[in-house]
Amino acid sequence: MAATNAGPKGTQLKELLRMALVGPQLAAFIPALTLGAYWYGGEGLLLVLALLLPALLALSSILSRHNAQADAHADPVTGLPGQSAITGIVQGEGHFACLVVELDDLSAIRAQYGQSVAETVMQRCADRLRTAMRDTDVVASLDNGCFGIMIEKKRRVDLEVMIQLSGRLQACLGDPIAVDGTRVLTTASIGFSLPARVEDPTPAGMLAAAEAALAEARKAGPSSIRAYAIGMRGPVLLESDDHDELAEALETGQIVPWFQPQISTDTGELTGFEALARWEHPEKGHVAPGNFLPQVTRAGLMDRLGEVMLFRSLTALCEWDKAGLNVPGVAVNFSAEELRNPKLFEKVRWELDRFDVDPKRLTVEVLENVVAQSDDDITTRNIASLAKLGCPIDLDDFGTGHASIANIRRFDVNRIKIDRSFVTHVDNDRDQQNMVAAILTMAERLNLETLAEGVESHGEHAMLAQLGCGHVQGYSIARPMPLDQTFAWIGEHQLKLTKTTILPRRAG
């Protein structure tokens, strides 16, 4: 299979030449061609033309059908060929290594800016990848926000070269994308495979290995790069809406909270953990939250998941207390479905009494879009009752749901969590700094605490501290971890505090 990724102008020129030489419109010139052939060459040239023209018309028909089939398999958003462009490569044609590139924040971009902007972002990213690669490399569209690349074999393509190439691709995708006056920032995770490390070094096997490496990169957090190694498992795909499997997972302890630390930018001290649902399947391994949480919603099991998360989070608080560790609190996400449950408040109060936990140590996290769109009296009453009980209220994903200041006041919000889309590149992007500074100024005037989520680099952490953000959370501090790993992390963090200089905040 030929690998072609020429630019748009080159593609148009080739198409024009093809149509001019062998297009169906050639039939309109048959009378003139016949007359000219007889005039200049006599019967001999006329005979040659009579044999040549049917062959050209037949070739035109074949090429037209081929292009129609190719267009049918092209991605309608990016214009790139589909997965078959990679898996259909004939083994031994000279292609050597495979990469799978995934945009980290596409779902958040779609939720914040709309489908049209998300499609424009995908188009621009596809163009950047085409430009970054050679014409002999194959760039294809996989699933939504994923791109597959098969690169041509060169004399020296090894692990180091692939890591460098992955870094360059991340850099070219990381430049801001301007869409209708809006600047959108993206990051990408990459998995890649080399034939010497793959059990099945066919194009399809190489692609499957690169997807397995990408699954590992996702676990490490946004902007991660992973190379395939023997034994890696691809992303776990669940059977559609297997309610029994989900229910069993909830009842048997397969789905449990993992805990991600939140720290103060003033002191560096641990200020709490956020509880995040994770599923370790006994046979399939790690199931990504994006795979099972929508199914939990469709199965009507969000209330049960909430009960499991609350019970195990309060259990964790008691375990930390027993170990003599200072963990001020734990934050638990409450879904829209849970908040519409008339019995939610009594259920939470009963659990707090049972574990003898002060309500101020249980932070209730509510998505901003729930607050922005909720006219439900039960939701409003539940949040207000929990706040009156003493539970701090965190407004999650702030900046994506368009919650009004009136709603922030109505729901007695204690802290806003600045969405990752505002945090990405805040250390080197002036517009991001201005946006975060505006959010922090508003929060200060409203006497709200602030926490930036998705902090992925030390530079972002330092800039947020200087801008005056009170708390930070993200992979630059720690990944989510099972309860049994938190004890060692807390001890190591306390040890580091004695050796770390806390950055002062910028005045104002």
Side-chain angles (χ1 to χ4, degrees):
M1 175 179 176
T4 57
N5 278 314
K9 291 183 179 178
T11 302
Q12 292 171 7
L13 180 59
K14 289 178 183 178
E15 181 64 15
L16 288 173
L17 288 172
R18 183 192 69 78
M19 292 176 66
L21 291 174
V22 296
Q25 65 272 20
L26 184 63
F29 296 95
I30 288 178
L33 289 171
T34 304
L35 182 60
Y38 182 74
W39 181 266
Y40 288 105
E43 292 181 357
L45 184 57
L46 184 61
L47 180 61
V48 171
L49 189 63
L51 295 172
L52 184 61
L53 277 175
L56 287 174
L57 290 172
L59 179 60
S60 169
S61 177
I62 293 171
L63 287 174
S64 296
R65 284 197 302 269
H66 173 77
N67 285 337
Q69 291 173 353
D71 290 343
H73 290 88
D75 180 67
V77 174
T78 64
L80 292 174
Q83 179 173 318
S84 59
I86 292 177
T87 57
I89 293 173
V90 177
Q91 193 171 8
E93 278 193 347
H95 290 87
F96 186 72
C98 185
L99 305 94
V100 177
V101 182
E102 180 180 51
L103 302 181
D104 293 320
D105 299 316
L106 190 60
S107 59
I109 291 170
R110 186 180 291 108
Q112 185 172 356
Y113 300 108
Q115 179 64 23
S116 176
V117 171
E119 290 183 355
T120 301
V121 168
M122 284 190 285
Q123 291 168 359
R124 302 278 177 83
C125 289
D127 292 341
R128 290 178 181 183
L129 289 174
R130 271 192 296 236
T131 302
M133 305 308 296
R134 301 162 299 185
D135 288 346
T136 51
D137 300 325
V138 179
V139 181
S141 177
L142 304 180
D143 293 329
N144 194 18
C146 267
F147 304 93
I149 302 173
M150 189 72 83
I151 68 171
E152 187 186 36
K153 184 174 182 179
K154 284 292 185 182
R155 246 180 338 187
R156 183 176 176 272
V157 179
D158 56 17
L159 185 63
E160 182 180 352
V161 170
M162 291 297 292
I163 292 173
Q164 291 174 353
L165 172 61
S166 299
R168 288 198 298 270
L169 293 178
Q170 285 182 329
C172 81
L173 294 175
D175 290 335
I177 297 173
V179 186
D180 298 331
T182 300
R183 295 171 74 261
V184 181
L185 291 165
T186 63
T187 60
S189 297
I190 299 177
F192 66 83
S193 60
L194 290 163
R197 294 167 166 248
V198 177
E199 301 92 325
D200 174 24
T202 62
M206 295 283 290
L207 178 61
E211 288 177 330
L214 177 64
E216 290 295 317
R218 288 193 197 107
K219 295 178 188 178
S223 301
S224 296
I225 299 170
R226 289 294 183 271
Y228 177 77
I230 293 175
M232 279 187 180
R233 302 166 69 170
V236 176
L237 300 177
L238 300 174
E239 296 295 328
S240 179
D241 296 332
D242 191 335
H243 297 180
D244 292 339
E245 186 177 28
L246 283 168
E248 181 183 2
L250 286 168
E251 299 307 324
T252 59
Q254 296 175 32
I255 299 177
V256 297
W258 284 23
F259 299 94
Q260 187 172 35
Q262 302 168 337
I263 66 173
S264 165
T265 56
D266 280 337
T267 64
E269 293 283 351
L270 175 70
T271 57
F273 282 97
E274 180 182 5
L276 300 163
R278 293 294 184 266
W279 184 0
E280 288 296 327
H281 195 285
E283 297 173 0
K284 300 174 182 177
H286 182 79
V287 184
N291 280 347
F292 75 84
L293 289 178
Q295 293 197 22
V296 171
T297 301
R298 289 194 293 270
L301 293 171
M302 285 304 296
D303 274 337
R304 181 56 185 149
L305 175 62
E307 290 172 356
V308 170
M309 295 293 291
L310 178 61
F311 176 84
R312 292 186 176 271
S313 296
L314 295 178
T315 299
L317 279 174
C318 294
E319 292 292 324
W320 291 321
D321 289 347
K322 281 183 188 177
L325 299 173
N326 180 25
V327 178
V330 63
V332 177
N333 293 274
F334 285 76
S335 67
E337 291 83 358
E338 290 178 271
L339 292 168
R340 287 195 291 267
N341 183 349
K343 299 179 180 178
L344 176 66
F345 170 69
E346 290 300 330
K347 185 189 302 183
V348 172
R349 183 169 64 175
W350 188 84
E351 291 287 359
L352 289 169
D353 287 343
R354 177 159 70 128
F355 283 94
D356 194 24
V357 170
D358 190 324
K360 71 180 181 182
R361 299 183 69 190
L362 174 66
T363 296
V364 175
E365 284 203 12
V366 183
L367 287 172
E368 185 187 13
N369 60 10
V370 172
V371 170
Q373 301 168 9
S374 178
D375 293 322
D376 191 314
D377 289 340
I378 296 175
T379 298
T380 304
R381 187 165 61 249
N382 274 331
I383 296 175
S385 298
L386 290 169
K388 188 175 181 180
L389 182 65
C391 297
I393 307 297
D394 273 10
L395 192 59
D396 200 8
D397 292 347
F398 183 79
T400 65
H402 313 294
S404 67
I405 292 176
N407 272 339
I408 292 174
R409 282 301 184 205
R410 181 162 69 99
F411 286 96
D412 203 12
V413 172
N414 178 71
R415 180 170 67 176
I416 57 175
K417 295 185 70 176
I418 303 172
D419 186 71
R420 181 177 179 269
S421 60
F422 299 105
V423 173
T424 301
H425 303 315
V426 72
D427 52 330
N428 52 35
D429 189 299
R430 187 65 184 175
D431 286 340
Q432 289 288 85
Q433 292 170 18
N434 291 338
M435 184 67 72
V436 171
I439 293 172
L440 294 174
T441 298
M442 181 206 72
E444 184 179 9
R445 296 292 175 87
L446 295 175
N447 198 29
L448 299 173
E449 294 186 43
T450 52
L451 183 149
E453 55 186 345
V455 181
E456 310 300 343
S457 72
H458 296 300
E460 290 171 355
H461 184 173
M463 177 55 67
L464 288 163
Q466 292 183 58
L467 290 172
C469 184
H471 308 262
V472 288
Q473 169 184 351
Y475 283 93
S476 70
I477 296 133
R479 304 175 190 175
M481 65 193 85
L483 174 61
D484 58 357
Q485 294 180 15
T486 60
F487 300 94
W489 184 89
I490 294 170
E492 292 168 3
H493 182 69
Q494 290 295 330
L495 186 62
K496 281 195 299 184
L497 285 180
T498 62
K499 305 175 181 178
T500 302
T501 302
I502 305 301
L503 292 173
R505 291 188 180 187
R506 179 183 297 173

